[in-house]
Amino acid sequence: MLRNITPYLFFNGNCKEALDFYSKALDGNVNGIMTYGEANEASAEDPNRIIHSQLDVDGRTFMLSDIPKDDQPAVKDRNVYIVLEFDSEDAVAKAYEHLKEDSQVYIELADMFWGAKYAKLVDKYNIGWDLSYTYPQNEQ
C-alpha cells in the first residue's frame, strides 16, 4: 500500500528558476536548497547546480534537482505528468493561470464530461501537468 507519492523533478541547470516559478504558481514554501558544491559532490559541471531542494505545497512535497551534467543520460529530457487535484474552482484556476505561462496547453481549463474542471499542459520546463477540480455530485 502506498503511503505517499512524492514527485521528483529534474532540470538541466535551471532548478532554482523552476523552484521559484513553482513556489509562486502553487503558493508553496521552499524548504531547503543544497548545491552540489555545498554537498562536496564533484560530479557536477557547475558546483552551483542544485543537488536537492524541496517545495512544500498544502502538506504535499515536491523534490527538485539539477542533473549534474548536461548529458546525464539517466535523467536528461525526462518528464512526467503530475496530477494535481484542487479543493476549489478558484484554486485550479489560479494554478492554471500561472502554469500556462510559456507553456504548451493541450486542454484549456474547462468543465469536463466526467464532472471536473480540468486542464492539461506541458510547462516551459517540459513538465506535464493535469490540473483538476472535481465537482461535488450535487454541484454541477
Side-chain angles (χ1 to χ4, degrees), residues 30-138:
V30 176
N31 187 9
I33 298 174
M34 179 178 282
T35 65
Y36 282 86
E38 291 168 332
N40 293 319
E41 177 58 52
S43 65
E45 294 173 339
D46 177 359
N48 293 316
R49 284 187 179 217
I50 295 174
I51 193 169
H52 181 76
S53 64
Q54 184 172 313
L55 176 64
D56 295 325
V57 180
D58 293 330
R60 310 300 193 281
T61 299
F62 293 80
M63 293 186 288
L64 297 86
S65 177
D66 284 315
I67 59 175
K69 299 179 181 173
D70 289 344
D71 62 350
Q72 186 86 13
V75 293
K76 185 180 180 198
D77 298 328
R78 302 280 187 241
N79 73 357
V80 63
Y81 277 92
I82 301 170
V83 178
L84 299 179
E85 178 70 37
F86 292 90
D87 62 0
S88 71
E89 285 186 77
D90 289 341
V92 72
K94 181 179 178 186
Y96 174 73
E97 288 303 315
H98 284 284
L99 290 171
K100 76 176 188 176
E101 176 186 327
D102 298 324
S103 295
Q104 174 65 50
V105 176
Y106 291 98
I107 300 174
E108 293 281 347
L109 185 63
D111 290 335
M112 297 292 149
F113 68 89
W114 61 84
K117 185 168 283 280
Y118 174 84
K120 184 181 215 57
L121 59 90
V122 174
D123 71 20
K124 63 185 177 182
Y125 299 106
N126 204 30
I127 303 297
W129 298 91
D130 287 356
L131 308 175
S132 183
Y133 166 68
T134 302
Y135 293 102
Q137 297 240 345
N138 60 355

Side-chain angles (χ1 to χ4, degrees), residues 10-40:
F10 292 91
F11 301 91
N12 193 1
N14 61 345
C15 180
K16 176 68 171 95
E17 176 185 329
L19 186 61
D20 292 342
F21 176 77
Y22 293 132
S23 68
K24 289 178 185 139
L26 302 173
D27 284 331
N29 295 310
V30 176
N31 187 9
I33 298 174
M34 179 178 282
T35 65
Y36 282 86
E38 291 168 332
N40 293 319

